[in-house]
Amino acid sequence: QVQLVESGGGLVQPGGSLRLACAASGMLFSITAMGWYRQAPGKQRDLVAAINIRRTTNYADSVKGRFTISRDNAKRTVYLQMNSLKPEDTAVYYCNSDPPYGVWGQGTQVTVSS
């Protein structure tokens, strides 16, 4: 079955950077569009970045110019480079296909605070 394992979160000061990684299994990764989603406390889970099989990327307006999504098909891994982090980026970050499968990983917590 589909398994998604996110890593790389942590506590960072405003203006800092983090790189998230998500290892996927149980899917045909190289022909699956992937996305990074985030969910802040009390809010719905939203798509923030997506990459299709041609490596075309799309971003939510709130992260455009600061976040970069990429993929390594050989490693079945999708990445999210996050720069110039803001307190409002604080959330649990998840990866999944785009649109998402019903199965989610445990996510990785990103906290931006001084």
Side-chain angles (χ1 to χ4, degrees), residues 14-27:
S17 298
L18 285 173
R19 189 191 193 208
L20 307 183
C22 171
S25 60
M27 66 171 73

Side-chain angles (χ1 to χ4, degrees), residues 17-70:
S17 298
L18 285 173
R19 189 191 193 208
L20 307 183
C22 171
S25 60
M27 66 171 73
L28 297 174
F29 184 83
S30 63
I31 59 170
T32 300
M34 296 296 295
W36 280 97
Y37 303 76
R38 69 184 181 188
Q39 186 169 22
K43 295 189 176 181
Q44 67 180 19
R45 188 175 298 172
D46 291 324
L47 178 68
V48 296
I51 184 167
N52 68 15
I53 62 173
R54 293 178 295 278
R55 302 178 189 272
T56 301
T57 58
N58 281 289
Y59 300 92
D61 287 343
S62 59
V63 307
K64 202 170 292 183
R66 300 188 297 121
F67 289 11
T68 303
I69 188 171
S70 60

Side-chain angles (χ1 to χ4, degrees), residues 3-5 8 11 16 20 25 28 30 32-33 40 43 49 52 59-60 68 71 76 78 80 96 98 106 108 111:
Q3 286 191 318
L4 301 159
V5 180
L11 173 64
L20 307 183
S25 60
L28 297 174
S30 63
T32 300
K43 295 189 176 181
N52 68 15
Y59 300 92
T68 303
R71 64 190 298 159
R76 304 172 63 84
V78 61
L80 187 67
N96 210 318
D98 177 30
Q106 82 287 351
T108 187
T111 302

